[in-house]
Amino acid sequence: MSDYSATLISHLRATLGKMEVALGAIGDSIVWTDSSGRIQWSNSTFDRLVARQRFDILGASLLDLLPLKQEGQHIDAQAHPLIKVLQQIKTTDIYEFKQSDKTLFLEISSVWIEFKGQETSAVLVIHDVTERKQAEEQLLYHAFHDSLTGLPNRALFMERLGYVVESTKRHKAQLFAVLFIDLDRFKIINDSLGHTLGDQLLIGIASRLKACLRPTDTIARLGGDEFTILLEDIKDISDAVHIADRIQAQLKKHFDLGGQEVFTTASIGIALSARNYEQPEALLRDADIAMYRAKALGKARFEIFNLDMHTRAVAMLQLETDLRLAIEREEFQVHYQPIVSLKTGTITGFEALVRWQHPQRGLIAPDEFIPLAEETGLIVPLGYWVLREACHQLKLWQTQYPSSPPLTVSVNISGKHFSEPDLIPQIRQILQNTQLNPQSLRLEITESVLMENTESVVSILLQLKAMDIQLYMDDFGTGYSSLSCLHRFPIDTLKIDRSFISTMDVDSKNLKIVQTIIMLAHNLDMDVIAEGIETEDQQAKLKNLECEYGQGYFFSPPLAAVAAEVLIAKLYASSSSEPNCEASEYKSAQIEVDIPQKPSRRFLICL
Ligand code: C2E
Ligand code: MG
Ligand code: MG
C-alpha cells in the first residue's frame, strides 16, 4: 500500500470516527437497514434507545429490537416487508415502544429508501417525543377532569353522554339514566368551616359516590357541589332508584374533616333515557329540573323527572323573565296589615307585604314569586323598593295622622340582603330620603337566615340596632333555631308563626308551645307578636298568655295603601290622640277589601 493510500485510509478512519461521534451526539436515533429490515448501522442514540450493545444490534432485525406499536397494534414485518411498511409511514404518526418499565413515544421523522440495483436499503431517523406527548396528555387530562376530585368534568361527561344517546338511537332497547346530585346546604358548610375543609368534603363525597357505582358507570363533578352520574345499561328505573338510595345512605354518614364531624345530605334528580332524547343536554337539563324539585320538596331526597316538571320549569322561566321586567316597570304594590296591641286594642303599626300587579295574571301573592326572586337575586332591588315605598308611606301617614307613639312599619328583609356589602348605607339612605325616624322602622328577619350565617348576620344586626331600628324574628318556630339559641341574637320581638296559632285551639300541645315561647321571650326581654290570629278565641287565649301584639285576619287582612289609609283615618277620627281598633267599637264602619291570596273571594272586615 502506498503512503498516499495509507494516509487516505487513516484520514477516512478518523473522519468516520468523527462522524460516528457527531451522529451519536444528535438527539435523534438513526438506523440503517437492508430490505429485510436487518440493521446495517445505527448511531449510539439508537443503541441507547434499544438498550443494546453495538454487536447485538448489527445484523439484528429492526422490529425485533424496536417492536413498534401503533394504536395498540404491533407493526408486523412478517405480513408486510419492512420496506413496504416504511414507504407508508407518515412522519406525523406516533408509535409506542415499551422500554423496560416505561413506554416511549416515537415519531419516525424521516425515512430515506435507497434502491441500488437489486439492493434496497433504508435509513430511518427516529425522534423521541415522549415528553411532548406526556405534556399533551397532561393538558388533555386537565381539559377533561376536575382538578380537585380527579373526576371527569362536564366536558367529558357530556361527551360520554352524547355517545350513549347516539348509540341508544340505534339500539332502542338500551336503557340508561342520568343522576344530578346537588349537596344540601354546602354553602353553609363551606362558609362556616372554610374553603380548605369544604374542598376536603368534596373529595370525600367524590370517593363515596364512586364507591356506590359499577366500573362501567361514569361520574363527574360539574362544578361547585354538583355531581352527575351516568348509569348505562340498566334494567329499569328501579336500578337508578336503588343507586340513588345507596348514595343517600352513604352521604348521610358523617365525614371526619380534620377532627371535625360534618354531616351533609344531597338532593338527587333522575332522568331516564326512555323519553327518547335527541340531545345529551336535554337529559342533563331534565335531571337538573328533577333535582330542583327534590330540593323544593324538602331536600335530602330524590325525584324522577316527569313532564309536569318540565311544564313547571318552563312556567318558572317565564315567571323569571316577567319578574325582571316587573322590577324595571315597578309593577309592585305594598299592602299593609295592621299589628294590634292585644292589651289596649290599639293599632301600633303595619307590616308591609309586597304584591305583584301582573299585567295578565292580576295580583300575585308573594309566596308565588319571593322564592324565585331570592333564587335569582332579584329580591335585593325588590326589597329596597319595598323598603323605600313603606318608609315613604308611613312618613305620610305619620304626618297626616300624628299619634303618640307614632305608627310603625315592619318590612321583611331577605337573607340575600345580608350578603350585600352596602346594606347598611342603603337603609340609611332610604331613611334619610324619606325622612322617617329609624325608631319607627322594624325589620323582619326569618330565623333560618339567622341560623345559617350567625356570625356575619349578628354583626349587621348590631349595626342596625345602633341605628335605632328594631329587629323582629319572623315565622318563629319554623326554622332551625332552638329556644336556647335565642339569646345570641339582638332581637327585640318574636313573631310566632301562624302554624302554631291556627292549631292552638285544636291541639293543646301547641297551646303549651305558644305559652313556652312567650315566657321565654319575656325572660329574654323580648316582646311577642302572634301571627295569623283568625278567631276571637285565639285572640282571647293569647291575651291571657300576655302576648303583647297580634296580627291576623281577625283584625284585618293586608290592605292596599288606600284601604289602610281609610282605616287609619276612621280610627284617627274616633280618637283624638291615637288610633284605637277595639273590634267592637268599629262595627259601624265596613270596608270591602280583597284577600290577596284568594283574589276571587271578597272579604268584609268590620272596623
Ligand atoms: P310573613 O312575613 O310571615 O307575613 C305574614 C303572612 O301571613 C302574609 O302573607 C299575610 O297575608 C299572612 N297572614 C296574615 N294574617 C293571616 C291570617 O290570619 N291567616 C292567614 N291564613 N294568613 C295570614 P303574604 O302577604 O302572602 O306574605 C307571605 C310571605 O311573603 C311573608 O310572610 C314574607 O315572608 C314574604 N314577603 C311578603 N312581602 C315581602 C317583602 O317585601 N320582602 C320579602 N323578603 N318577603 C316578603
Ligand atoms: Mg313578616
Ligand atoms: Mg311571618
Side-chain angles (χ1 to χ4, degrees):
M1 194 189 301
S2 69
D3 278 358
Y4 173 73
S5 306
T7 315
L8 192 63
I9 287 169
S10 115
H11 177 71
L12 282 174
R13 271 207 189 111
T15 307
L16 268 177
K18 281 180 188 153
M19 280 175 65
E20 185 88 30
V21 173
L23 290 168
I26 295 178
D28 288 348
S29 300
I30 306 174
V31 60
W32 194 311
T33 78
D34 64 14
S35 60
S36 62
R38 307 225 156 258
I39 297 173
Q40 308 295 301
W41 178 86
S42 59
N43 71 348
S44 55
T45 313
F46 179 82
D47 305 351
R48 284 194 298 277
L49 177 70
V50 294
R52 296 291 175 89
Q53 299 291 335
R54 181 64 59 87
F55 52 81
D56 283 336
I57 292 175
L58 295 179
S61 152
L62 172 64
L63 289 180
D64 283 351
L65 285 185
L66 193 67
L68 294 177
K69 265 191 186 175
Q70 195 182 26
E71 287 165 7
Q73 295 285 321
H74 272 115
I75 294 180
D76 185 0
Q78 305 299 318
H80 307 283
L82 184 73
I83 295 298
K84 202 160 173 205
V85 173
L86 293 179
Q87 278 171 329
Q88 286 165 8
I89 272 183
K90 284 197 223 88
T91 48
T92 47
D93 286 350
I94 292 182
Y95 298 87
E96 281 173 43
F97 166 55
K98 189 119 185 66
Q99 187 197 60
S100 54
D101 56 344
K102 57 182 180 198
T103 300
L104 298 181
F105 294 92
L106 306 174
E107 248 176 26
I108 299 183
S109 55
S110 89
V111 180
W112 182 70
I113 298 175
E114 189 185 49
F115 300 97
K116 215 181 213 174
Q118 298 289 52
E119 282 291 301
T120 313
S121 57
V123 179
L124 282 76
V125 179
I126 301 166
H127 185 52
D128 184 347
V129 292
T130 309
E131 273 182 23
R132 191 190 82 201
K133 180 90 177 149
Q134 279 168 347
E136 279 170 5
E137 275 176 3
Q138 198 75 10
L139 283 176
L140 201 65
Y141 181 85
H142 283 298
F144 286 107
H145 288 83
D146 164 46
S147 55
L148 179 68
T149 58
L151 292 180
N153 63 8
R154 177 189 287 266
L156 184 53
F157 186 81
M158 291 314 284
E159 192 177 292
R160 180 85 203 130
L161 185 56
Y163 174 79
V164 177
V165 167
E166 282 308 313
S167 109
T168 310
K169 285 182 195 164
R170 291 190 300 278
H171 309 102
K172 297 269 185 228
Q174 259 179 17
L175 201 60
F176 66 93
V178 171
L179 271 63
F180 199 113
I181 303 163
D182 188 286
L183 301 183
D184 301 325
R185 304 171 69 225
F186 176 71
K187 190 178 172 311
I188 300 170
I189 297 174
N190 213 25
D191 289 351
S192 53
L193 298 183
H195 289 240
T196 315
L197 289 189
D199 283 355
Q200 273 184 38
L201 178 63
L202 289 171
I203 294 170
I205 282 167
S207 89
R208 281 200 199 167
L209 289 177
K210 264 197 280 190
C212 293
L213 303 178
R214 306 164 301 177
T216 49
D217 300 327
T218 307
I219 169 168
R221 178 174 173 232
L222 293 201
D225 58 347
E226 291 178 345
F227 296 86
T228 45
I229 291 172
L230 170 60
L231 301 175
E232 289 181 53
D233 280 332
I234 54 171
K235 246 186 0 286
D236 52 39
I237 188 70
S238 66
D239 283 349
V241 166
H242 177 64
I243 299 268
D245 276 337
R246 204 189 299 165
I247 289 173
Q248 303 274 25
Q250 279 301 318
L251 295 190
K252 254 189 211 137
K253 295 180 192 161
H254 83 273
F255 286 86
D256 185 355
L257 303 182
Q260 187 133 7
E261 277 198 358
V262 176
F263 290 88
T264 183
T265 54
S267 300
I268 304 177
I270 304 175
L272 202 64
S273 65
R275 285 174 31 83
N276 291 337
Y277 286 94
E278 282 290 324
Q279 298 295 334
E281 290 78 12
L283 252 156
L284 195 67
R285 177 203 63 205
D286 287 354
D288 190 17
I289 291 175
M291 182 278 290
Y292 266 99
R293 195 75 202 125
K295 285 235 187 262
L297 291 175
K299 303 181 178 170
R301 55 185 291 151
F302 68 82
E303 282 296 315
I304 300 161
F305 178 79
N306 60 41
L307 269 183
D308 283 353
M309 289 183 190
H310 181 72
T311 316
R312 195 179 297 115
V314 171
M316 286 302 270
L317 196 66
Q318 183 60 47
L319 194 67
E320 183 182 336
T321 315
D322 289 355
L323 194 57
R324 283 184 195 281
L325 281 174
I327 286 178
E328 270 173 38
R329 297 174 184 162
E330 299 201 352
E331 288 173 358
F332 297 95
Q333 290 178 7
V334 179
H335 282 202
Y336 297 89
Q337 185 174 34
I339 296 175
V340 177
S341 158
L342 296 182
K343 204 155 142 201
T344 63
T346 313
I347 291 184
T348 57
F350 293 88
E351 176 171 7
L353 294 157
V354 69
R355 271 92 185 92
W356 176 6
Q357 184 64 53
H358 192 281
Q360 281 88 42
R361 296 175 52 195
L363 208 60
I364 305 184
D367 287 343
E368 255 193 81
F369 63 88
I370 294 279
L372 185 66
E374 300 230 358
E375 203 178 297
T376 51
L378 292 170
I379 192 71
V380 174
L382 177 61
Y384 287 139
W385 182 85
V386 174
L387 184 63
R388 212 172 299 123
E389 190 66 20
C391 291
H392 173 70
Q393 184 62 70
L394 191 78
K395 180 68 191 175
L396 289 181
W397 287 338
Q398 282 184 345
T399 316
Q400 220 169 337
Y401 309 101
S403 64
S404 172
L407 288 169
T408 62
V409 70
S410 318
V411 179
N412 294 284
I413 289 288
S414 144
K416 282 273 178 319
H417 279 104
F418 287 89
S419 347
E420 289 294 298
D422 63 345
L423 176 70
I424 300 286
Q426 285 275 3
I427 295 178
R428 203 171 268 136
Q429 187 69 49
I430 290 172
L431 286 168
Q432 201 182 344
N433 291 351
T434 56
Q435 288 292 297
L436 184 72
N437 185 336
Q439 286 173 354
S440 302
L441 177 64
R442 279 92 178 91
L443 295 178
E444 296 196 2
I445 302 131
T446 55
E447 58 171 336
S448 45
V449 170
L450 288 177
M451 295 313 293
E452 286 180 5
N453 268 316
T454 308
E455 265 172 45
S456 58
V457 173
V458 166
S459 115
I460 296 173
L461 295 184
L462 288 171
Q463 294 178 60
L464 292 168
K465 290 267 336 155
M467 287 164 67
D468 260 352
I469 297 172
Q470 285 204 20
L471 303 172
Y472 288 4
M473 187 185 271
D474 203 356
D475 305 341
F476 186 77
T478 55
Y480 309 106
S481 72
S482 65
L483 294 168
S484 57
C485 292
L486 268 182
H487 66 278
R488 286 159 52 197
F489 306 112
I491 295 288
D492 300 281
T493 301
L494 278 193
K495 295 189 78 172
I496 305 181
D497 190 67
R498 193 170 76 215
S499 53
F500 295 98
I501 308 300
S502 61
T503 50
M504 218 168 49
D505 19 17
V506 283
D507 187 346
S508 63
K509 212 168 66 209
N510 271 353
L511 180 64
K512 197 91 196 124
I513 293 176
V514 171
Q515 185 178 15
T516 313
I517 295 175
I518 294 173
M519 269 167 45
L520 187 99
H522 288 168
N523 284 343
L524 293 170
D525 254 354
M526 295 177 184
D527 285 339
V528 179
I529 301 178
E531 294 186 307
I533 301 180
E534 291 186 352
T535 64
E536 185 150 19
D537 184 48
Q538 288 165 355
Q539 185 218 209
K541 282 199 170 96
L542 287 158
K543 205 170 162 177
N544 265 342
L545 295 175
E546 294 182 8
C547 174
E548 282 82 8
Y549 303 98
Q551 184 182 345
Y553 295 168
F554 174 67
F555 304 108
S556 161
L559 304 170
V562 187
E565 184 160 344
V566 173
L567 172 65
I568 298 170
K570 283 249 182 269
L571 302 173
Y572 192 75
S574 73
S575 149
S576 56
S577 60
E578 59 186 56
N580 186 336
C581 90
E582 203 74 69
S584 58
E585 276 186 37
Y586 307 108
K587 287 272 189 271
S588 54
Q590 291 193 331
I591 312 178
E592 210 178 346
V593 287
D594 280 328
I595 298 182
Q597 292 88 340
K598 300 181 183 89
S600 59
R601 228 179 78 200
R602 308 285 283 175
F603 192 80
L604 281 180
I605 60 157
C606 295
L607 300 175

